Amino acid sequence: MVGVTTGVRASARIVARAGGGGGTCLPVLAGEAPLAPRRTRASGDEARVLLVGAMSGPLGRDHFTVEAEVGSGALLHLGSAAATLALPGQSTGEARYDVRLRVAAGGELRWLPEQLISARGSELCVFARVDLASGARLVFREEQVLGRAGEEPGRLTSRLTVRLDGRPLLDQEVACGPGAPGGWDGPAVLAGHRALGQLLFVRPEFGSAPMAPRVLGECATLTPLAGPAVLVTAVAPDARRLRRVLDEALRDLG
């Protein structure tokens, strides 16, 4: 409609609970276009859900929200069927993508979506908040690709906040692309690379047996956090090589 300046508002909500006879059930699995959660085949006690994009987005001024809640004894693997492509829209202004995750004691969440690609001319802010009870387990992956092949990136701001038992475990923000604070492409941040990502592992056993920091390949590190967690961070020239590094870390840490 001519003159409309607001974007699409859409949300998806997933609730995972331990089944009475074993396994994980999904009493809530709901979404609005373009966020369509679909349960897929899984093994063991795990429930597996993919977010399937039903239309393009996020575009300018769109606001998407994904919420997931994992109860005690439940195991949820949450991913996406394809990469998320941030594009410029007819409406000027930044789009927003909120991720809100909660895991109870004894529950486990594996958040493993595909890459987020920041196309030229786009403006996107991603805010992820994870609230974990003591005894919860988490694998959290995020990958960001700045521009498509041979393309300059859009403006991308990403913030991840993780709280364990109500206390801060990790709180970080990165901004890249046109208009971002100076130095984002310099040697202290990306050093000319166009793909960046991280893996966060939270496990109760890390509290009594913390892992030692180490270098993983040419441009990746493993860092123990002040809590039962480790963080793997990596940069790479492209999405393929970034995924290779993170997949190796995922296999090593299980």
Side-chain angles (χ1 to χ4, degrees):
M1 181 182 299
V2 176
V4 173
T5 58
T6 59
V8 173
R9 300 293 186 271
S11 62
R13 186 165 185 260
I14 303 102
V15 176
R17 296 282 185 263
T24 299
C25 61
L26 300 172
V28 178
L29 185 64
E32 306 166 312
L35 300 174
R38 297 288 184 264
R39 184 166 191 167
T40 63
R41 181 174 297 180
S43 60
D45 294 336
E46 176 186 80
R48 186 178 291 253
V49 174
L50 288 181
L51 288 171
V52 179
M55 56 186 285
S56 296
L59 309 176
R61 293 188 180 272
D62 288 353
H63 188 174
F64 296 167
T65 302
V66 175
E67 296 182 85
E69 180 182 336
V70 181
S72 179
L75 171 56
L76 176 63
H77 181 127
L78 186 52
S80 60
T84 298
L85 180 60
L87 294 166
Q90 292 183 343
S91 300
T92 58
E94 67 183 22
R96 177 166 173 150
Y97 202 128
D98 287 326
V99 177
R100 300 168 187 164
L101 309 174
R102 294 184 297 277
V103 188
E108 181 171 348
L109 173 63
R110 292 173 172 261
W111 171 262
L112 297 168
E114 297 301 309
Q115 297 97 342
L116 167 63
I117 302 171
S118 175
R120 182 175 56 190
S122 65
E123 296 182 63
L124 177 64
C125 290
V126 181
F127 295 98
R129 173 166 179 143
V130 185
D131 289 290
L132 306 170
S134 180
R137 301 171 71 89
L138 173 73
V139 178
F140 183 99
R141 181 180 71 198
E142 64 178 2
E143 299 168 285
Q144 293 149 355
V145 182
L146 305 181
R148 293 166 290 191
E151 178 185 65
E152 291 299 311
R155 169 71 183 271
L156 176 63
T157 302
S158 176
R159 181 164 185 175
L160 171 61
T161 302
V162 183
R163 298 179 68 86
L164 177 62
D165 203 21
R167 293 173 295 181
L169 178 65
L170 176 66
D171 193 351
Q172 64 179 26
E173 180 175 302
V174 62
C176 304
W184 67 270
D185 200 22
V189 187
L190 295 185
H193 293 90
R194 284 296 178 265
L196 62 155
Q198 58 186 2
L199 273 168
L200 173 66
F201 297 85
V202 181
R203 295 178 181 165
E205 56 265 32
F206 286 158
S208 57
M211 300 191 70
R214 65 179 187 264
V215 175
L216 305 175
E218 183 180 354
C219 298
T221 60
L222 182 150
T223 305
L225 301 182
V230 296
L231 179 67
V232 175
T233 56
V235 295
D238 54 48
R240 180 180 58 84
R241 279 178 274 190
L242 175 66
R243 175 61 62 87
R244 182 190 303 161
V245 172
L246 296 182
D247 278 352
E248 289 176 358
L250 189 58
R251 285 192 298 269
D252 289 345
L253 295 172

